[in-house]
Amino acid sequence: MIVTLTANPSLDRTVMLPAPLQVGDVQSAASTREDAGGKGINVARAIAAAGEDCSAVLPLAPGDPFDAALRAAEVDAERVPIRGNVRANIAITDPAGVTTKLNLPGAELSPDEVSAVIDAVVAASVGARWLVLAGSLPPGVADDFYVRVIAAVRRAHGENAPLIAVDTSGPALTAVVADGAPDLIKPNDEELAELAGVAIDGADPRAVLDVARVLVPARVRAALITLGSRGAVLVDAEGAWAATPPPIQVVSTVGAGDSSLAGYVLAATRGADHGERLRLAVRYGSAAASLPGTKAPAPADLPTGDVPVTRLD
């Protein structure tokens, strides 16, 4: 069983244009789609599509229209009742795959609702092999929220606690690295640079490694750093590896990083070695980038091209 938490879910609306976005002009869309989104839900959709047991925990008001999209995604979900409604995110994509995103604020959670979400994650994590904490935090939630979740899960389950992966950014990621001791973080190169307070040449995997080594394994057990079209780097106490993606036709990059994390967790759950974990992460990220909107890739969507993996240290 794999459990995900999406504290700030979103109804992802994707607008596909037949030509590049013209700011200030009126344009007709070629097509649109809506998906139940938010990083943890995106991860859960990909994992469920691969046939693995997965449960997605999220705050959701009774009667929220988002629930229809969530049910259509066929994801097993643990809904924690709140008062506000899920936000909507808008992505505008052109034929070249260039994407412009507008992310709206989520529903504000009260202290009691925050506590209820943490309790739900603790309960859902019984017997789980991985817990994925993913996405931004909604209004009313402190930066150390994921730290609190990690502490509560480990306190409740002890040596039977799941491995914990975190995919977030900004102050929430800073807090997790400082005090959470997660088993895995999944920043992109820009998020890693912000976290470390240094510039990174994302085109150079060894430059990414040099920064990641400041954190791994002293603060986190492992880091999967996604580099967009340049692939990804995996760093842990045993070594570091870089992978190059196969050629694809980019349709939408929204959710590609989430799918990369899903691929890594799937491989890890199946006992794959470091190289195969990284290889499947890159395949899943590439597959997501070749699909419209935030459609979650299934195994049949994975590109068949080679994904070379190189040991860095």
Side-chain angles (χ1 to χ4, degrees):
M1 168 66 79
I2 299 164
V3 176
T4 72
L5 169 63
T6 308
N8 200 17
S10 62
L11 184 62
D12 289 342
R13 295 190 172 102
T14 304
V15 179
M16 277 73 79
L17 298 178
L21 176 66
Q22 301 296 320
V23 177
D25 286 351
V26 176
Q27 291 176 263
S28 296
S31 62
T32 63
R33 65 176 290 130
E34 288 188 345
D35 296 291
K39 283 184 173 293
I41 291 171
N42 293 341
V43 172
R45 288 163 56 207
I47 289 172
E52 296 289 342
D53 289 338
C54 187
S55 180
V57 179
L58 73 156
L60 186 66
D64 190 322
F66 178 84
D67 196 44
L70 183 61
R71 293 182 185 280
E74 298 183 341
V75 172
D76 180 40
E78 177 66 30
R79 300 158 175 83
V80 181
I82 61 169
R83 287 184 290 276
N85 280 352
V86 167
R87 61 188 174 140
N89 287 343
I90 302 169
I92 303 171
T93 302
D94 72 16
V98 176
T99 301
T100 302
K101 292 185 66 179
L102 302 173
N103 289 349
L104 304 184
E108 183 169 354
L109 302 188
S110 70
D112 286 346
E113 290 168 342
V114 170
S115 295
V117 170
I118 295 175
D119 291 344
V121 174
V122 171
S125 297
V126 174
R129 298 183 66 181
W130 278 89
L131 168 62
V132 177
L133 311 177
S136 62
L137 302 180
V141 176
D143 295 338
D144 68 348
F145 173 70
Y146 286 140
V147 177
R148 292 177 58 192
V149 174
I150 293 169
V153 168
R154 289 175 173 166
R155 183 169 57 248
H157 303 309
E159 63 180 15
N160 295 317
L163 296 170
I164 298 176
V166 181
D167 182 6
T168 190
S169 60
L173 179 58
T174 299
V176 162
V177 170
D179 298 311
D183 297 287
L184 177 75
I185 57 171
K186 196 227 68 63
N188 59 33
D189 53 332
E190 293 179 354
E191 292 164 345
L192 180 64
E194 180 184 9
L195 175 65
V198 299
I200 299 177
D201 178 5
D204 181 1
R206 294 190 180 278
V208 174
L209 169 61
D210 289 343
V211 176
R213 273 288 174 230
V214 177
L215 309 174
V216 181
R219 291 289 187 178
V220 301
R221 290 183 61 187
L224 172 65
I225 304 103
T226 50
L227 308 176
S229 63
R230 299 181 300 278
V233 171
L234 174 63
V235 185
D236 69 10
E238 298 180 27
W241 300 261
T244 304
I248 60 164
Q249 177 63 49
V250 176
V251 175
S252 172
T253 58
V254 180
D258 309 335
S259 291
S260 293
L261 179 55
Y264 178 93
V265 171
L266 281 168
T269 299
R270 295 166 180 171
D273 63 19
H274 296 88
E276 287 304 313
R277 293 182 190 190
L278 181 57
R279 186 172 283 114
L280 194 61
V282 170
R283 285 199 190 283
Y284 262 85
S286 298
S290 69
L291 297 172
T294 52
K295 183 179 179 182
D301 298 313
L302 301 185
T304 57
D306 189 27
V307 180
V309 173
T310 303
R311 178 124 191 185
L312 298 178
D313 72 0

